[in-house]
Amino acid sequence: MSEKVEGRNGDVALFLYAAPFIINFVYALYVWAGVGFSSVLPQLVYIEVSQNNYIFLLGFAAVVCAALLDFTSEPAASRRSSTFSLSKRLQALAMVALVLSFLAAWYSASGNLSTAVYNVMDGRYALVFPAVILLFSYIILPPVKLQGANLRNILVIVLLFLSPAALYELGKRNTAAGLGSALILVLLAAYILLRDSD
C-alpha cells in the first residue's frame, strides 16, 4: 500500500513540476487565438504571458507543492540527505525554464537574436521565475557556510533579479542603456554559472 502511495505522490509531483510549462503553453495558446494564429508567435503574446503575475505565481506555487511532495514522501531518516537531490532537481528545472524561455522569445522574434534578448528582458518573469526557483533550491539546503560555489550561486540569482529591474528602471530614461545593462547582467550571470559548472 505504501509503495502505491509513494508512486501516486511521484506522479503528482512530476505533474506539478511540469505545471509551469503547461500553464504557460495553454495561456499562450489562449492569447495567440485571441490575436489570430500565425506561422510565428507574435511578440505581444510572448510579452503578455511572460509579464503575467498570475501565471508566475501559479507556476511557482506548483513547483513548491511538488518539492513538498517529494520531501514528505521520503522516509524521515533520509529527508536531510534527500534535500541535496531535491535542490539539484530544482536547479535543473530552473535551467530548463530559462532555456525554454529564450527559445520561445527567439521564436517570437522570428529568429532575430537581439529582439529575442529584448523580449526576454521585457518579459521580466522569464528571468525572475528561474531565479526564484534557484533561490528556493538553495534555501531548502541544510545550513552551510556561504563560501565558494554558494556565493557564486547567490550572485547568479541576484544578477538574474537585477536584469529586468535594470531594463525597467534605466529603460524609462534611455532604452539603449536599459537594454545594454540588462544584457550585461544576464551575460555575466551566464558566465558565472557556466564557469561554476566546469
Side-chain angles (χ1 to χ4, degrees), residues 7 16 21 35 47 91 100 106-107 117-118 161 181 188 193:
L16 288 171
F21 307 109
V35 298
I47 299 299
Q91 290 168 33
L100 288 179
W106 184 64
Y107 177 53
V117 170
Y118 180 79
F161 273 121
S181 59
L188 188 58
L193 194 61

Side-chain angles (χ1 to χ4, degrees), residues 9 16 27 50 52 69 87 97 110 112 132 152 166-167 179-180 186:
N9 284 350
L16 288 171
Y27 186 61
S50 59
N52 191 293
L69 269 177
S87 178
S110 301
N112 185 307
V132 168
R152 285 195 294 272
L167 177 67
L179 184 58
V186 168

Side-chain angles (χ1 to χ4, degrees), residues 58-74:
L58 279 172
F60 181 65
V63 171
V64 170
C65 288
L68 285 173
L69 269 177
D70 266 354
F71 182 75
T72 55
S73 65
E74 292 288 332

Side-chain angles (χ1 to χ4, degrees), residues 83-101:
T83 56
F84 290 99
S85 59
L86 178 57
S87 178
K88 291 289 184 189
R89 191 174 305 126
L90 290 170
Q91 290 168 33
L93 183 74
M95 295 313 300
V96 168
L98 194 58
V99 169
L100 288 179
S101 182

Side-chain angles (χ1 to χ4, degrees), residues 36-169:
F37 286 112
S38 56
S39 59
V40 175
L41 179 73
Q43 287 179 262
L44 170 71
V45 174
Y46 178 84
I47 299 299
E48 168 67 26
V49 173
S50 59
Q51 285 187 349
N52 191 293
N53 299 337
Y54 299 110
I55 297 296
F56 166 74
L57 290 173
L58 279 172
F60 181 65
V63 171
V64 170
C65 288
L68 285 173
L69 269 177
D70 266 354
F71 182 75
T72 55
S73 65
E74 292 288 332
S78 63
R79 282 182 181 170
R80 183 179 171 86
S81 60
S82 70
T83 56
F84 290 99
S85 59
L86 178 57
S87 178
K88 291 289 184 189
R89 191 174 305 126
L90 290 170
Q91 290 168 33
L93 183 74
M95 295 313 300
V96 168
L98 194 58
V99 169
L100 288 179
S101 182
F102 270 106
L103 288 175
W106 184 64
Y107 177 53
S108 72
S110 301
N112 185 307
L113 189 58
S114 61
T115 306
V117 170
Y118 180 79
N119 286 348
V120 170
M121 305 294 179
D122 196 30
R124 289 192 291 275
Y125 291 125
L127 295 174
V128 172
F129 180 75
V132 168
I133 298 300
L134 277 174
L135 180 62
F136 180 55
S137 76
Y138 299 126
I139 287 173
I140 65 171
L141 289 173
V144 291
K145 290 180 73 175
L146 291 178
Q147 57 186 1
N150 292 325
L151 286 177
R152 285 195 294 272
N153 293 334
I154 290 170
L155 182 58
V156 168
I157 293 167
V158 170
L159 289 171
L160 287 175
F161 273 121
L162 287 178
S163 179
L167 177 67
Y168 181 73
E169 289 301 324

Side-chain angles (χ1 to χ4, degrees), residues 169-183:
E169 289 301 324
L170 294 176
K172 288 192 289 190
R173 299 170 189 83
N174 186 319
T175 304
L179 184 58
S181 59
L183 179 59

